[in-house]
Amino acid sequence: MGDTLNQNATANSFVRPQYFFITGFSNIPHAQYYFMFLCFAYIVTVLGNSFVMFIIYIDRSLHTPKYMAVFTLAVADLGESTAVFPNVIKVCLLNIQQVTYEACLSNMFFIYFFSSVQSLTLTVLAYDRFIAICFPLRYHSIVTNTTMGIFLTVGCICNVVFVVVGVSLVTRLSFCKYIVVDSYFCDHGPLYKLACNDNLPSYIIVMLFTVLHYFLPLILIGLSYACILLALFKITSWEGRLKALKTCFSHLILVSAYYFPILGIYIGAMAGSVHRNARIINISLSYAIPAMLNPIVYSLNTAEIKDFVKKIFRRKQYKSTTVTTANNK
């Protein structure tokens, strides 16, 4: 399939293909069942995150720094899943493996941008928990809407610039031999390795992305929770410790679901070689699971959103009771 480019192309000629081929989950046993799971995860992600965004938008009491970050996380989850899943349907269900060069780069940009925003937001939420538990009396003076807005805006701008640079470097690569991407989307790692010319700049950007968007945030999150544990030991009662720690459980679940599959890939690669199927499944889980869990575990499970949902149902019940009473009269 890769030989369809140009049989006479050499490593010294620059070749920009019209399209790439995405292999998808073709070599994974019982891939259809895994695809059904991804369908379910995508539906839950769209419905759940859309609902969370709607609630935060219309309820003014939720216009707080914490929920600014939660809203951004929901946008990132929805954007990332929407960038990934239609391509999965196209490749796996419709068996359309061909994707144009421009569409491939666009798909790459949106997936990595929203993924980096998700990592940024999880780090910001860890900072929010750190201030809330370690400096409770100064929380409202330190974590304000303005500071949270600055953190998120500057972080998103930096992510845009970084991902644009990474995607732009792909346009400098020549694909003179193979155009088959061994992944289920236009994955930067498998794609840049297909290049015939020097791909060192792309390799460097991959290493920087890995450090800045995976390892550095995870280290910062770990340090914040180390400080939180030290602060909890200063609380005399176990009830107080558990109450403070309970506010962190949802965030820890999301952090584990997002980072652990990716860490598994890197640890496996350092220990030896990672099987192709294990790599694809781990990456797809790191995209699908956190986006699905966020509205269930982190957002809809919080007291503020629960109270707002209860108010809505109470209003509907009150209106229906009023209408029924008026009709009986």
Side-chain angles (χ1 to χ4, degrees):
M1 190 178 291
D3 295 333
T4 60
L5 270 175
N6 188 347
Q7 298 295 337
N8 297 322
T10 64
N12 294 324
S13 62
F14 186 87
V15 179
R16 177 175 292 178
Q18 294 182 351
Y19 49 81
F20 290 102
F21 285 94
I22 311 298
T23 57
F25 302 106
S26 56
N27 296 323
I28 297 178
H30 308 293
Q32 66 273 18
Y33 299 110
Y34 188 64
F35 176 73
M36 291 172 60
F37 165 74
L38 292 179
C39 288
F40 171 76
Y42 180 67
I43 292 172
V44 173
T45 297
V46 172
L47 294 178
N49 284 288
S50 299
F51 184 61
V52 168
M53 291 163 59
F54 172 74
I55 290 177
I56 295 175
Y57 178 76
I58 64 174
D59 187 4
R60 292 187 176 275
S61 66
L62 297 178
H63 294 181
T64 60
K66 174 185 173 182
Y67 284 100
M68 286 177 63
V70 172
F71 186 90
T72 305
L73 182 61
V75 172
D77 289 337
L78 190 59
E80 180 190 69
S81 299
T82 303
V84 171
F85 193 74
N87 196 63
V88 173
I89 294 178
K90 181 181 175 183
V91 174
C92 300
L93 186 62
L94 303 180
N95 199 29
I96 302 175
Q97 296 181 317
Q98 183 175 312
V99 58
T100 63
Y101 181 86
E102 293 77 12
C104 185
L105 295 188
S106 299
N107 180 249
M108 183 187 300
F109 169 80
F110 285 109
I111 289 175
Y112 283 102
F113 168 69
F114 285 119
S115 177
S116 62
V117 172
Q118 192 175 29
S119 180
L120 165 72
T121 313
L122 289 174
T123 308
V124 171
L125 286 169
Y127 168 76
D128 175 84
R129 291 298 85 208
F130 164 70
I131 299 297
I133 295 176
C134 297
F135 305 99
L137 299 179
R138 298 176 56 193
Y139 174 80
H140 293 290
S141 62
I142 298 176
V143 184
T144 63
N145 285 347
T146 302
T147 56
M148 183 62 73
I150 292 174
F151 281 152
L152 294 173
T153 303
V154 172
C156 288
I157 292 174
C158 292
N159 289 338
V160 167
V161 173
F162 195 96
V163 177
V164 165
V165 170
V167 174
S168 298
L169 289 175
V170 176
T171 63
R172 302 172 64 87
L173 299 177
S174 175
F175 301 91
C176 60
K177 293 182 180 180
Y178 302 104
I179 53 174
V180 179
V181 182
D182 192 15
S183 187
Y184 65 100
F185 69 98
C186 283
D187 198 346
H188 182 270
L191 192 145
Y192 89 85
K193 293 177 182 178
L194 301 176
C196 300
N197 58 346
D198 182 22
N199 60 10
L200 180 60
S202 293
Y203 172 78
I204 293 174
I205 208 72
V206 167
M207 293 298 101
L208 287 175
F209 186 89
T210 302
V211 172
L212 295 177
H213 297 283
Y214 294 131
F215 288 105
L216 180 60
L218 193 57
I219 290 172
L220 293 176
I221 292 171
L223 289 175
S224 67
Y225 275 104
C227 295
I228 287 173
L229 288 176
L230 291 176
L232 291 178
F233 282 122
K234 297 179 182 179
I235 301 176
T236 56
S237 65
W238 279 101
E239 292 79 6
R241 294 177 185 176
L242 290 175
K243 184 178 180 181
L245 193 59
K246 187 179 178 181
T247 63
C248 304
F249 283 156
S250 299
H251 180 257
L252 286 171
I253 292 173
L254 281 187
V255 168
S256 302
Y258 180 77
Y259 289 105
F260 282 3
I262 299 173
L263 282 177
I265 289 293
Y266 285 106
I267 293 173
M270 288 186 291
S273 61
V274 179
H275 193 274
R276 177 252 187 202
N277 292 349
R279 175 179 58 82
I280 291 179
I281 290 176
N282 268 21
I283 293 174
S284 61
L285 288 177
S286 69
Y287 287 149
I289 299 298
M292 178 180 66
L293 289 181
N294 169 40
I296 299 173
V297 175
Y298 198 93
S299 301
L300 299 180
N301 199 36
T302 57
E304 295 90 345
I305 293 183
K306 281 183 178 180
D307 292 339
F308 181 76
V309 173
K310 289 178 181 178
K311 288 179 183 178
I312 293 178
F313 280 113
R314 286 172 185 170
R315 288 176 185 174
K316 288 184 178 181
Q317 290 177 354
Y318 176 77
K319 288 181 180 179
S320 61
T321 303
T322 305
V323 171
T324 304
T325 304
N327 291 335
N328 291 335
K329 290 182 179 180

Coordinates of all heavy atoms in Angstrom, one line a residue, residues 55-110:
I55 N -25.3 23.4 32.6 CA -25.6 23.7 34.0 C -24.7 24.9 34.5 O -25.2 25.8 35.1 CB -25.5 22.5 34.9 CG1 -26.6 21.5 34.6 CG2 -25.5 22.9 36.4 CD1 -26.5 20.2 35.4
I56 N -23.4 24.7 34.2 CA -22.5 25.8 34.7 C -22.8 27.1 34.0 O -22.6 28.2 34.7 CB -21.0 25.3 34.4 CG1 -20.7 24.1 35.3 CG2 -20.0 26.4 34.7 CD1 -19.3 23.5 35.0
Y57 N -23.2 27.1 32.8 CA -23.5 28.3 32.1 C -24.7 29.0 32.6 O -24.6 30.3 32.8 CB -23.7 28.0 30.6 CG -24.0 29.2 29.7 CD1 -23.0 30.1 29.4 CD2 -25.3 29.4 29.3 CE1 -23.3 31.3 28.6 CE2 -25.6 30.5 28.5 CZ -24.6 31.5 28.2 OH -25.0 32.6 27.5
I58 N -25.8 28.3 32.9 CA -27.0 29.0 33.3 C -27.1 29.3 34.8 O -27.9 30.1 35.2 CB -28.2 28.2 32.8 CG1 -28.3 26.8 33.6 CG2 -28.2 28.0 31.4 CD1 -29.6 26.0 33.3
D59 N -26.3 28.6 35.6 CA -26.4 28.8 37.1 C -25.3 29.7 37.5 O -24.1 29.4 37.5 CB -26.2 27.4 37.8 CG -26.5 27.6 39.3 OD1 -26.8 28.7 39.7 OD2 -26.3 26.6 40.0
R60 N -25.7 30.9 37.9 CA -24.7 32.0 38.2 C -23.9 31.6 39.5 O -22.8 32.1 39.7 CB -25.4 33.3 38.4 CG -25.9 33.9 37.1 CD -26.5 35.3 37.3 NE -26.9 35.9 36.0 CZ -26.1 36.5 35.2 NH1 -24.8 36.6 35.4 NH2 -26.5 37.0 34.0
S61 N -24.5 30.8 40.4 CA -23.8 30.4 41.6 C -22.6 29.5 41.3 O -21.7 29.4 42.1 CB -24.7 29.7 42.5 OG -25.1 28.5 42.0
L62 N -22.5 29.0 40.1 CA -21.4 28.1 39.7 C -20.4 28.9 38.9 O -19.4 28.3 38.4 CB -21.9 26.9 38.8 CG -22.8 26.0 39.5 CD1 -23.3 24.9 38.6 CD2 -22.2 25.4 40.8
H63 N -20.5 30.2 38.8 CA -19.5 31.0 38.1 C -18.4 31.3 39.0 O -18.2 32.5 39.4 CB -20.2 32.3 37.5 CG -21.2 32.0 36.4 ND1 -21.9 33.0 35.8 CD2 -21.6 30.8 35.9 CE1 -22.7 32.4 34.9 NE2 -22.6 31.1 34.9
T64 N -17.7 30.3 39.4 CA -16.6 30.4 40.4 C -15.3 29.9 39.7 O -15.4 29.3 38.7 CB -16.9 29.6 41.6 OG1 -17.0 28.2 41.3 CG2 -18.2 30.1 42.3
P65 N -14.1 30.2 40.3 CA -12.9 29.7 39.7 C -12.8 28.2 39.5 O -12.4 27.8 38.4 CB -11.8 30.2 40.7 CG -12.4 31.3 41.4 CD -13.9 31.0 41.5
K66 N -13.3 27.4 40.5 CA -13.3 26.0 40.3 C -14.1 25.5 39.1 O -13.6 24.7 38.3 CB -13.8 25.3 41.6 CG -13.9 23.8 41.4 CD -14.6 23.2 42.7 CE -14.8 21.7 42.5 NZ -15.5 21.1 43.7
Y67 N -15.3 26.1 38.9 CA -16.1 25.7 37.9 C -15.8 26.3 36.5 O -16.2 25.8 35.5 CB -17.6 25.9 38.2 CG -18.1 24.9 39.2 CD1 -18.2 25.2 40.6 CD2 -18.4 23.6 38.8 CE1 -18.6 24.3 41.5 CE2 -18.8 22.7 39.7 CZ -18.9 23.0 41.1 OH -19.3 22.0 42.0
M68 N -15.0 27.3 36.5 CA -14.3 27.8 35.3 C -13.4 26.7 34.7 O -13.4 26.4 33.5 CB -13.6 29.1 35.5 CG -14.4 30.3 35.7 SD -13.4 31.8 36.0 CE -12.4 31.9 34.5
A69 N -12.7 26.1 35.6 CA -11.8 25.0 35.2 C -12.6 23.8 34.8 O -12.2 23.1 33.9 CB -10.8 24.7 36.4
V70 N -13.6 23.5 35.6 CA -14.5 22.3 35.3 C -15.1 22.5 33.9 O -15.2 21.5 33.1 CB -15.5 22.1 36.3 CG1 -16.5 21.0 35.9 CG2 -14.9 21.7 37.7
F71 N -15.6 23.7 33.6 CA -16.2 24.0 32.3 C -15.2 23.8 31.2 O -15.5 23.2 30.1 CB -16.7 25.4 32.3 CG -17.5 25.8 31.0 CD1 -18.8 25.6 31.0 CD2 -16.8 26.3 29.9 CE1 -19.6 25.9 29.8 CE2 -17.5 26.7 28.8 CZ -18.9 26.5 28.7
T72 N -13.9 24.3 31.4 CA -12.9 24.1 30.4 C -12.5 22.7 30.2 O -12.3 22.2 29.1 CB -11.6 24.9 30.9 OG1 -11.9 26.3 31.1 CG2 -10.5 24.8 29.8
L73 N -12.5 21.9 31.3 CA -12.3 20.4 31.2 C -13.4 19.8 30.4 O -13.1 18.9 29.6 CB -12.2 19.8 32.6 CG -11.9 18.3 32.7 CD1 -10.6 18.0 32.1 CD2 -12.0 17.9 34.1
A74 N -14.6 20.2 30.6 CA -15.7 19.6 29.8 C -15.6 19.9 28.3 O -15.9 19.1 27.5 CB -17.1 20.1 30.4
V75 N -15.2 21.2 28.0 CA -15.0 21.6 26.6 C -13.9 20.7 26.0 O -14.0 20.2 24.9 CB -14.7 23.1 26.5 CG1 -14.3 23.4 25.1 CG2 -15.9 23.9 26.9
A76 N -12.8 20.5 26.8 CA -11.6 19.8 26.3 C -12.0 18.3 26.0 O -11.7 17.7 25.0 CB -10.5 19.8 27.2
D77 N -12.8 17.7 27.0 CA -13.3 16.3 26.8 C -14.1 16.2 25.6 O -14.0 15.2 24.8 CB -14.1 15.9 28.1 CG -13.2 15.7 29.3 OD1 -12.0 15.5 29.1 OD2 -13.7 15.8 30.4
L78 N -15.1 17.1 25.4 CA -16.0 17.1 24.3 C -15.2 17.3 23.0 O -15.5 16.5 22.0 CB -17.1 18.1 24.4 CG -18.3 18.0 23.5 CD1 -19.0 16.7 23.6 CD2 -19.2 19.2 23.8
G79 N -14.3 18.2 23.0 CA -13.6 18.5 21.7 C -12.6 17.3 21.4 O -12.6 17.0 20.2
E80 N -12.0 16.8 22.3 CA -11.0 15.7 22.1 C -11.8 14.5 21.6 O -11.4 13.8 20.6 CB -10.3 15.3 23.4 CG -9.3 14.2 23.2 CD -8.8 13.7 24.6 OE1 -9.6 13.1 25.3 OE2 -7.6 13.9 24.8
S81 N -12.9 14.1 22.2 CA -13.7 12.9 21.8 C -14.3 13.1 20.4 O -14.3 12.2 19.6 CB -14.8 12.7 22.8 OG -14.3 12.4 24.1
T82 N -14.7 14.3 20.1 CA -15.3 14.6 18.8 C -14.2 14.6 17.7 O -14.5 14.3 16.6 CB -16.0 16.0 18.8 OG1 -17.0 16.0 19.8 CG2 -16.7 16.3 17.5
A83 N -13.0 15.0 18.1 CA -11.9 14.9 17.1 C -11.5 13.4 16.8 O -11.1 13.1 15.7 CB -10.7 15.7 17.6
V84 N -11.6 12.6 17.9 CA -11.1 11.2 17.7 C -12.2 10.3 17.2 O -12.0 9.5 16.2 CB -10.7 10.7 19.1 CG1 -10.4 9.2 19.0 CG2 -9.4 11.4 19.6
F85 N -13.4 10.3 17.7 CA -14.4 9.3 17.5 C -14.9 9.2 16.0 O -15.1 8.1 15.5 CB -15.6 9.4 18.5 CG -16.4 8.2 18.5 CD1 -16.0 7.0 19.1 CD2 -17.7 8.1 17.8 CE1 -16.8 5.8 19.0 CE2 -18.4 7.0 17.8 CZ -18.0 5.8 18.4
P86 N -15.3 10.4 15.4 CA -15.7 10.3 14.0 C -14.7 9.6 13.1 O -15.1 8.8 12.2 CB -16.0 11.7 13.6 CG -16.3 12.4 14.9 CD -15.4 11.7 15.9
N87 N -13.4 9.8 13.4 CA -12.4 9.1 12.6 C -12.4 7.6 12.9 O -12.2 6.8 12.0 CB -11.0 9.7 13.0 CG -10.0 9.4 12.0 OD1 -10.1 9.8 10.8 ND2 -9.0 8.6 12.4
V88 N -12.7 7.2 14.1 CA -12.8 5.8 14.5 C -14.0 5.2 13.7 O -13.8 4.0 13.2 CB -13.0 5.6 16.0 CG1 -13.3 4.2 16.4 CG2 -11.8 6.1 16.8
I89 N -15.1 5.9 13.7 CA -16.3 5.3 12.9 C -15.9 5.2 11.4 O -16.2 4.2 10.8 CB -17.5 6.3 13.1 CG1 -17.9 6.3 14.5 CG2 -18.6 5.9 12.1 CD1 -19.1 7.3 14.7
K90 N -15.2 6.2 10.9 CA -14.9 6.1 9.5 C -13.9 5.0 9.2 O -14.1 4.3 8.2 CB -14.2 7.5 9.1 CG -13.7 7.6 7.7 CD -13.1 8.9 7.4 CE -12.5 9.0 6.0 NZ -11.8 10.3 5.8
V91 N -13.0 4.7 10.1 CA -12.0 3.7 9.8 C -12.5 2.3 10.1 O -12.4 1.4 9.3 CB -10.7 3.9 10.6 CG1 -9.7 2.8 10.5 CG2 -10.0 5.2 10.1
C92 N -13.2 2.2 11.3 CA -13.6 0.8 11.8 C -14.9 0.4 11.3 O -15.1 -0.8 10.9 CB -13.6 0.9 13.3 SG -11.9 1.2 14.0
L93 N -15.9 1.3 11.2 CA -17.2 0.9 10.8 C -17.4 1.0 9.3 O -17.9 0.0 8.7 CB -18.3 1.8 11.6 CG -19.7 1.4 11.4 CD1 -20.0 0.0 11.9 CD2 -20.7 2.4 12.0
L94 N -17.0 2.1 8.7 CA -17.2 2.2 7.3 C -16.0 1.7 6.5 O -16.1 1.7 5.2 CB -17.4 3.7 7.0 CG -18.5 4.4 7.7 CD1 -18.6 5.9 7.3 CD2 -19.9 3.7 7.4
N95 N -15.0 1.3 7.2 CA -13.8 0.7 6.5 C -13.2 1.7 5.5 O -12.7 1.3 4.5 CB -14.1 -0.6 5.9 CG -12.9 -1.4 5.6 OD1 -11.9 -1.3 6.3 ND2 -12.9 -2.3 4.6
I96 N -13.2 3.0 5.8 CA -12.6 4.0 5.0 C -11.3 4.4 5.6 O -11.3 5.2 6.6 CB -13.5 5.2 4.8 CG1 -14.8 4.8 4.2 CG2 -12.8 6.3 3.9 CD1 -15.9 6.0 4.1
Q97 N -10.2 3.8 5.2 CA -8.9 4.0 5.8 C -8.1 5.2 5.2 O -7.2 5.7 5.8 CB -8.1 2.8 5.7 CG -8.6 1.6 6.4 CD -7.8 0.3 6.3 OE1 -7.3 0.0 5.2 NE2 -7.6 -0.4 7.4
Q98 N -8.6 5.7 4.1 CA -7.9 6.8 3.4 C -8.3 8.1 4.0 O -9.5 8.4 4.2 CB -8.2 6.7 1.9 CG -7.4 7.8 1.1 CD -7.7 7.6 -0.4 OE1 -7.6 6.5 -0.9 NE2 -8.0 8.7 -1.1
V99 N -7.3 9.0 4.3 CA -7.5 10.3 4.8 C -6.6 11.3 4.1 O -5.4 10.9 3.9 CB -7.4 10.4 6.4 CG1 -6.0 10.0 6.8 CG2 -7.6 11.8 6.9
T100 N -7.1 12.4 3.7 CA -6.2 13.3 2.9 C -5.2 13.9 3.8 O -5.3 13.9 5.1 CB -7.1 14.5 2.4 OG1 -7.7 15.2 3.4 CG2 -8.2 13.9 1.4
Y101 N -4.1 14.4 3.2 CA -3.0 15.0 3.9 C -3.4 16.1 4.8 O -3.1 16.2 6.0 CB -1.9 15.4 2.9 CG -0.7 16.0 3.5 CD1 0.4 15.2 3.9 CD2 -0.6 17.4 3.7 CE1 1.5 15.8 4.4 CE2 0.6 18.0 4.2 CZ 1.6 17.1 4.6 OH 2.8 17.7 5.1
E102 N -4.2 17.1 4.3 CA -4.6 18.2 5.1 C -5.6 17.8 6.2 O -5.5 18.3 7.3 CB -5.4 19.2 4.1 CG -4.5 19.9 3.1 CD -4.1 19.0 1.9 OE1 -4.8 17.9 1.8 OE2 -3.2 19.3 1.2
A103 N -6.5 16.9 5.9 CA -7.4 16.4 7.0 C -6.7 15.7 8.1 O -7.0 15.8 9.3 CB -8.5 15.5 6.4
C104 N -5.6 15.0 7.7 CA -4.8 14.3 8.7 C -4.1 15.3 9.7 O -4.1 15.1 10.9 CB -3.7 13.4 8.0 SG -2.8 12.4 9.1
L105 N -3.5 16.3 9.1 CA -2.9 17.3 10.0 C -3.9 18.1 10.8 O -3.6 18.4 12.0 CB -2.1 18.3 9.1 CG -0.9 17.8 8.3 CD1 -0.1 18.9 7.6 CD2 0.0 16.9 9.1
S106 N -5.1 18.4 10.3 CA -6.1 19.0 11.1 C -6.6 18.1 12.2 O -6.7 18.6 13.4 CB -7.3 19.4 10.2 OG -6.9 20.3 9.2
N107 N -6.8 16.9 12.0 CA -7.2 15.9 13.0 C -6.1 15.8 14.1 O -6.4 15.8 15.3 CB -7.4 14.5 12.3 CG -7.8 13.5 13.3 OD1 -7.1 12.5 13.6 ND2 -9.0 13.6 13.9
M108 N -4.8 15.8 13.7 CA -3.7 15.7 14.6 C -3.7 17.0 15.5 O -3.5 16.8 16.7 CB -2.4 15.6 13.8 CG -1.2 15.5 14.7 SD 0.3 15.6 13.7 CE 0.1 14.3 12.6
F109 N -3.9 18.1 14.9 CA -3.9 19.4 15.7 C -5.0 19.4 16.8 O -4.7 19.6 18.0 CB -4.1 20.6 14.8 CG -4.3 21.9 15.6 CD1 -3.3 22.6 16.1 CD2 -5.6 22.3 15.8 CE1 -3.5 23.7 16.9 CE2 -5.9 23.5 16.5 CZ -4.8 24.2 17.0
F110 N -6.2 19.1 16.4 CA -7.3 19.2 17.4 C -7.2 18.1 18.5 O -7.5 18.4 19.7 CB -8.6 19.1 16.7 CG -9.0 20.3 15.9 CD1 -9.0 20.3 14.5 CD2 -9.4 21.4 16.6 CE1 -9.4 21.5 13.8 CE2 -9.7 22.6 15.9 CZ -9.7 22.6 14.5

